[in-house]
Amino acid sequence: MKNQNVRKLCMAGILCAAAVVGSLFSVPVFGSKCAPVQHMVNILCAILLGPWYAVGVAFCASLIRNLMSLGSLLAFPGSMFGALLCALVYRKTRNTWMTYIAEVFGTAVLGGLSVYPIAIFFMGQPAGEIAFYAYVVPFLISTAGGAVLSAVIVESLKKTKVLSKIVQ
């Protein structure tokens, strides 16, 4: 049991580091920095580690990215909603394609809508300047890219039967 926890914690640390380093490759879209590597990491954490590790890695990566000025406050809800939803879907269905879709929906729709009040309250943007859908499109672009990246990795791991050895 203890070895399993240490293994999961090490894997979470490595995936968190990959998300932070991957955020160096971000694309500005409207008011947000699109970091598809974060979404790839969300899906990998969901499949390999489970929901609580996925949310923890998303939070830690967002925190480190913000402390290093590589992200924005909007990274927190966007990545955490997507990580939680795709991890819960994977836990229930064990279907990787549904997991990719859940990440896209959780980040783009739920995360995109949840950043609206955060953007107004913390970032001081007046309500008249932004609309509810202003963050859905950039988050959709970012998370779709991350879902494609993770699909390539996960489907390759499935084809070589490595994924079944990693996932318990």
Side-chain angles (χ1 to χ4, degrees), residues 70-129:
L70 296 173
S72 71
L73 287 175
L74 308 179
F76 285 100
S79 64
M80 292 171 64
F81 273 110
L84 180 61
L85 189 61
C86 75
L88 292 174
V89 166
Y90 184 76
R91 178 177 270 182
K92 278 288 195 200
T93 66
R94 295 287 188 212
N95 183 326
T96 54
W97 293 102
M98 291 297 295
T99 304
Y100 308 141
I101 292 168
E103 166 66 23
V104 172
F105 180 80
T107 298
V109 177
L110 300 178
L113 293 176
S114 71
V115 299
Y116 178 73
I118 292 169
I120 293 171
F121 186 72
F122 288 111
M123 299 170 79
Q125 296 176 346
E129 290 183 18

Side-chain angles (χ1 to χ4, degrees), residues 15-97:
L15 288 169
C16 183
V20 172
V21 171
S23 69
L24 294 171
F25 309 104
S26 64
V27 179
V29 177
F30 302 119
S32 136
K33 289 182 181 178
C34 294
V37 175
Q38 174 66 56
H39 307 292
M40 176 195 73
V41 166
N42 284 353
I43 293 170
L44 292 176
C45 281
I47 293 171
L48 299 175
L49 304 174
W52 308 120
Y53 277 98
V55 172
V57 167
F59 175 81
C60 290
S62 296
L63 180 63
I64 293 168
R65 287 172 49 206
N66 274 283
L67 291 173
M68 296 177 68
S69 297
L70 296 173
S72 71
L73 287 175
L74 308 179
F76 285 100
S79 64
M80 292 171 64
F81 273 110
L84 180 61
L85 189 61
C86 75
L88 292 174
V89 166
Y90 184 76
R91 178 177 270 182
K92 278 288 195 200
T93 66
R94 295 287 188 212
N95 183 326
T96 54
W97 293 102

